[in-house]
Amino acid sequence: MAGHSKWKNIQRRKNAQDAKRGKIFMKLAKDIYVAAKQGGGDQEMNPALRTAVDKAKANNMPNENIDRAIKKATGDLDGANYEELTYEGYGPGGIAVMVEVLTDNKNRTASELRHAFSKNGGNLGENGCVAFMFDRKGYIAIDQNQTDADEDDMMLEAIEAGAEEMETTDGAYEIYTDPDQFTDVRSNLEESGFILDTAEVTMMPQTFSSIEDQDKSKMIKLVNMIEDMEDVQEVYHNLDADEETMAQL
């Protein structure tokens, strides 16, 4: 994954989030809702909920919003019933795209996604059409400015914490884990005093694909259109893009 720093892409996305904060809070609330619905409202007993809450707090989501989402899931408040789904398809130039959604109306969501794909030179596919091109991984990034550890020390710390792999990129140590071990690795690093800039379970492409410039423009529009949808939580793709293109995604 060298040359495809997820940390850099996350930083760019964070810089553009203020204009979309309302939508971001809605997506985070849905994520908390599903985690609490599936595993209960106790963060100590529900690692998925703790991860969702940590992500919400990192985005400055108010505590009352977090509590409301948990209470809706546990039945203490009335609310919509959300379903967690993954859609797959191909973007312009055959780029593999996976979209994770939380929706209370999957017919509406499928229709909106189908429109976005067709409008931007892609097509929504069947389940499984591109999933084999991605691996689910735990991902942790530590800003090098937030630690005194050099690369060798950080590598040892990551291994001792239970990580599978670590890469040093421009500005960050990027650590990858088995998704089942993610919570333990994160806790071990936090207990060792490290400040985690990013910590999440995500989908990593096994390989990256290049496309023509005209298709890159369509791909940018497709990803941005999908991310603006209220039901969409995450968008993953395997586009091999330069710095300028990634800054627009």
Side-chain angles (χ1 to χ4, degrees):
M1 283 173 280
H4 295 276
S5 170
K6 186 172 175 60
W7 185 73
K8 285 185 179 179
N9 298 335
I10 290 172
Q11 298 312 301
R12 294 192 185 98
R13 182 176 296 181
K14 283 182 179 178
N15 291 337
Q17 281 182 345
D18 286 342
K20 300 181 178 179
R21 189 146 311 269
K23 287 187 176 181
I24 291 169
F25 285 173
M26 176 64 75
K27 292 180 179 183
L28 292 169
K30 288 182 179 179
D31 210 10
I32 293 169
Y33 174 93
V34 169
K37 190 82 170 178
Q38 293 177 346
D42 186 345
Q43 294 183 50
E44 295 299 322
M45 302 297 293
N46 186 347
L49 177 59
R50 180 188 167 193
T51 298
V53 169
D54 286 347
K55 186 175 181 180
K57 289 182 176 179
N59 282 275
N60 298 316
M61 186 174 178
N63 287 331
E64 61 184 33
N65 295 36
I66 295 172
D67 293 339
R68 189 182 306 117
I70 294 174
K71 287 179 179 179
K72 283 183 179 180
T74 56
D76 293 329
L77 288 176
D78 292 333
N81 290 314
Y82 293 107
E83 189 174 1
E84 191 172 15
L85 300 169
T86 300
Y87 291 89
E88 303 174 38
Y90 297 93
I95 295 298
V97 181
M98 294 187 68
V99 184
E100 292 182 348
V101 307
L102 289 175
T103 180
D104 58 353
N105 187 331
K106 61 183 180 182
N107 291 331
R108 177 195 66 222
T109 303
S111 176
E112 290 179 351
L113 284 172
R114 191 173 292 108
H115 171 69
F117 274 93
S118 62
K119 184 177 181 179
N120 294 287
N123 62 281
L124 192 62
E126 300 292 330
N127 286 344
C129 67
V130 301
F132 66 94
M133 302 181 189
F134 296 81
D135 293 320
R136 183 168 288 277
K137 291 285 185 180
Y139 172 81
I140 296 169
I142 297 174
D143 189 335
Q144 290 180 7
N145 293 323
Q146 297 294 322
T147 177
D148 295 329
D150 61 22
E151 184 174 6
D152 290 339
D153 289 339
M154 192 68 247
M155 178 70 77
L156 290 175
E157 291 282 357
I159 292 173
E160 290 180 1
E164 291 183 335
E165 179 184 359
M166 189 194 87
E167 290 183 354
T168 302
T169 60
D170 185 16
Y173 297 119
E174 297 187 273
I175 298 166
Y176 301 91
T177 79
D178 182 290
D180 292 335
Q181 299 300 315
F182 167 74
T183 301
D184 289 340
V185 174
R186 181 186 63 183
S187 296
N188 290 340
L189 289 171
E190 288 176 334
E191 289 171 2
S192 296
F194 291 101
I195 298 173
L196 311 186
D197 187 78
T198 304
E200 63 183 11
V201 176
T202 186
M203 298 297 290
M204 297 288 185
Q206 297 172 358
T207 59
F208 293 84
S209 298
S210 299
I211 53 179
E212 299 295 330
D213 287 343
Q214 61 187 25
D215 285 333
K216 285 183 182 179
S217 178
K218 294 178 182 178
M219 185 65 187
I220 291 169
K221 291 179 181 178
L222 172 61
V223 171
N224 289 337
M225 187 173 179
I226 292 175
E227 286 192 333
D228 279 342
M229 294 179 185
E230 184 176 311
D231 295 335
V232 172
Q233 297 296 103
E234 296 288 348
V235 183
Y236 307 107
H237 59 80
N238 69 339
L239 174 63
D240 187 359
D242 55 26
E243 290 282 319
E244 181 180 354
T245 302
M246 292 308 299
Q248 298 177 63
L249 284 171

